[in-house]
Amino acid sequence: MIQRDAKKNKPSLYSISFLLKVLLVVTTCFMLATFYVSVKIHDKYDKILNESNKLRTDTLRKVVTDTDANTNSNVQRDHCDGTPSSKQAISKQAISKQAISKQNKDDTSNGIDTPKYPAYLKSSKSIRSEFASRYGGESNAIPMLSKGIITFPPSKNKKKGKNDSGIQHTAKRILRAIALSTPFVMAFGGYSVTAGRGNYFNQSFPFVVERILTEPFHALGIDLISRNAAIGGIPSLPYGFCQANFLGKDADLVSWDFGMNEGVSAEGLETYLRHSISSLEKAPMFVLLDTNRFRRWLLQHYVDRGMIVDPIAVQRPGDGNDLGIHEFLSPDNDEMMPLGFQDWNTWGAPPGAPGQAAWHPKYKEHELLGWMIAMHLLKAMDVAVAIMNKDHNWKLEYVNSDALKPKSLGKPNYQDSSKISSLLHGTPQQNPNDEEKWTMNTVSCRTSFRPGGMLESSLVDIVTSPATLDLEPTTIKSDEVYAKGWVLDIGQMERNTKQKLITNYGPNGLGYIDMKLALYGVPQSGTLSLWLSLNASNNKIKHATTPQDANKYIKTLIICEVNEKRGDKECNMKTDVTYKISDRVVTSVTTVMAAGAAYLKKPVCVHVDIPKDAKISTRDDGKNKGVMLDVTVTGGGVTEQMVLVRFRMLFGKNTHEEEEEEEEESKSEFVFDP
């Protein structure tokens, strides 16, 4: 919630930003923020990988200095959204892709011993050579990489002397994309570190990975897409409930970067991980931008139980000691150091840009993070190419998009007895003590946060009451605007930061795309009405002919406020806001105390019970069935003359089947998060 200037008699803000249909709802005196088993490793892969290594020459070539200089200058010339700086650059990229495909086609031989992907092999060799050159030669670069990328072989394989790092499974993901002729999608979640604060947005490590690997992926006939969906200053929940909105359902790789906000606990990570496995179509590869031992243990635990197959943890370079590169980071004789370590303490953005704090990585650290992740993926690409060279019928095996999904989730490591436990960790299919048969709820999320509302339906799409949704977010809205209804807006701190970026660096600022947009309201704004459709979550309800009890279909409703700095006198989501569901007043509202659902040690979500007499209603001539959620700011516990409410909403659903009155009903869980 935002405190407005009391001396000028301005109101505090409430906002809503998420609506989740396992139903999670989040409000803080209201900000309605719109966001937004184990596979057995066959010995044949080791043999194939060895054959792949023979197909390429490992002798390192010297990378000419002007090539590196061009690489650096291109970074500065690129638009800050990570896209090429001109249509000409895009055109050249397309021509390059066509030329590579033609080269692969022309050079293909029917001979079984002839490499079929010479363009890829050439690109792979060049990248490896540049990596070694940039980071002090092969003798330094390879040990650094082994320390920087932590893999998780199954414990049973370690005991048998096998060192499977999950590379084979990552290769399968790449082969699946090639077989289906779909892009390989990397989607990075997190907050200010991943967003690249202090640098240009397109200098953040997700785009470094993309720039390095675009050519070899093109050589294999597919595109590489990197999405940086990080949002500065947010916790892992409710973001983690809405991964389809932020990361995309089609992601082949996702990441987690919330450790700075969540101490040493792995509880928030487990919830995030279980949702990435269940809510995204491909049970994507998991990248942990953290090396905390509890979180690494959790990933190992999930690998050993067959729920994930190829996670990695990435070590941030920091002062260099953890990677064994501290001797390269001395400011003395900087120009004599390998290129990757030069200007190590220089930010990518001009001096004084927002975010240039000690806890944020500078540009060269982002580059190193990107290079390490890229080199790990390149190793998996080598395995994929070796398989394609070896097996003419490889597509038959790897075209199945479900091949890497676990048959079921196991029992969570962290137990939760709250009313939203099913949203956090799922439910047992039969016996609660069954270690391997748990099911997560299917979550449908609505959010106004950017970039969340850009991949899935936005929160504003379900607003049915009068509201102002089309004003420029960075402009200050008058009390007269708020008196007409709820307003799509941002908090004052974020507004000040965005205005500074525009003033100092032009309309695109530093290129960042994240924004905590939320629906804001004051008591004078009246009631905010949101239509929660159940059609997509339950087939049975489509054919129901009589009014049904809403609590038979909606399992959980959570509302979260916008996560911002706020004091103890700010509005209270439990006492200063009134909720109605299908015209029935909600009488039970409790604070969500789940790990990962707090910002600056303050919880950001509440759980709203579904009234027993609330009924499912219809719209659009009976074709659309659901419930109406009404939110009204009362301000009873706030001393200011007016209270603005900011809401974030999540909207999700639970496919969990429960037996009630001798028949099974599918319940939904809804989440609102500002």
Side-chain angles (χ1 to χ4, degrees), residues 435-450:
E435 291 289 326
E436 303 302 337
K437 294 183 180 179
W438 281 58
T439 302
M440 292 295 292
N441 301 314
T442 300
V443 177
S444 168
C445 175
R446 296 275 184 161
T447 177
S448 53
F449 273 25
R450 293 177 183 173

Side-chain angles (χ1 to χ4, degrees), residues 383-402:
V383 175
V385 169
I387 291 172
M388 291 189 292
N389 274 319
K390 184 81 172 180
D391 184 358
H392 295 288
N393 298 314
W394 64 270
K395 286 187 178 182
L396 298 177
E397 181 176 354
Y398 299 104
V399 74
N400 184 3
S401 61
D402 294 328

Side-chain angles (χ1 to χ4, degrees), residues 332 372 613:
D332 299 331
M372 291 192 297
D613 56 348

Side-chain angles (χ1 to χ4, degrees), residues 63 78 98 146 182 208 295 337 363 397 406 452 477 484 533 570 592 617 656:
V63 180
D78 283 351
Q98 293 173 0
S146 66
T182 58
V208 175
R295 295 177 186 129
M337 295 297 170
Y363 173 51
E397 181 176 354
K477 284 72 176 179
K484 297 177 182 178
S533 175
E570 301 286 355
V592 174
S617 58
H656 165 60

Side-chain angles (χ1 to χ4, degrees), residues 173-367:
R173 300 183 188 280
I174 296 168
L175 288 168
R176 176 179 58 194
I178 298 171
L180 296 173
S181 297
T182 58
F184 188 85
V185 178
M186 306 180 298
F188 296 87
Y191 51 359
S192 55
V193 170
T194 295
R197 292 294 195 262
N199 307 284
Y200 286 98
F201 180 54
N202 76 332
Q203 293 174 333
S204 60
F205 73 85
F207 297 125
V208 175
V209 180
E210 183 181 48
R211 284 191 286 270
I212 294 169
L213 294 181
T214 290
E215 182 178 297
F217 268 97
H218 281 177
L220 298 180
I222 60 173
D223 289 325
L224 175 65
I225 295 175
S226 184
R227 296 173 184 150
N228 188 339
I231 301 175
I234 62 167
S236 61
L237 302 177
Y239 184 104
F241 299 134
C242 298
Q243 291 182 51
N245 296 68
F246 293 106
L247 306 178
K249 292 180 179 179
D250 59 344
D252 295 282
L253 175 156
V254 299
S255 73
W256 184 94
D257 164 35
F258 298 96
M260 197 161 57
N261 187 62
E262 297 182 19
V264 299
S265 171
E267 292 184 61
L269 171 62
E270 182 168 35
T271 298
Y272 189 103
L273 178 59
R274 292 174 78 86
H275 276 274
S276 72
I277 296 170
S278 64
S279 66
L280 305 182
E281 295 172 350
K282 302 174 183 177
M285 174 185 174
F286 198 84
V287 176
L288 175 67
L289 193 70
D290 195 349
T291 54
N292 168 278
R293 63 189 182 94
F294 299 107
R295 295 177 186 129
R296 285 190 286 118
W297 179 89
L298 182 71
L299 292 187
Q300 185 68 62
H301 185 60
Y302 269 61
V303 168
D304 291 342
R305 294 170 64 192
M307 291 186 280
I308 55 178
V309 292
D310 57 348
I312 61 172
V314 183
Q315 173 71 60
R316 280 190 55 184
D319 60 7
N321 286 316
D322 292 325
L323 295 182
I325 57 174
H326 57 279
E327 68 272 17
F328 290 106
L329 305 185
S330 171
D332 299 331
N333 300 320
D334 182 77
E335 68 279 0
M336 302 298 294
M337 295 297 170
L339 181 65
F341 301 123
Q342 292 179 18
D343 300 317
W344 186 260
N345 293 312
T346 301
W347 294 97
Q356 293 183 349
W359 54 87
H360 289 151
K362 299 179 176 67
Y363 173 51
K364 281 302 183 75
E365 185 174 345
H366 272 282
E367 270 200 338

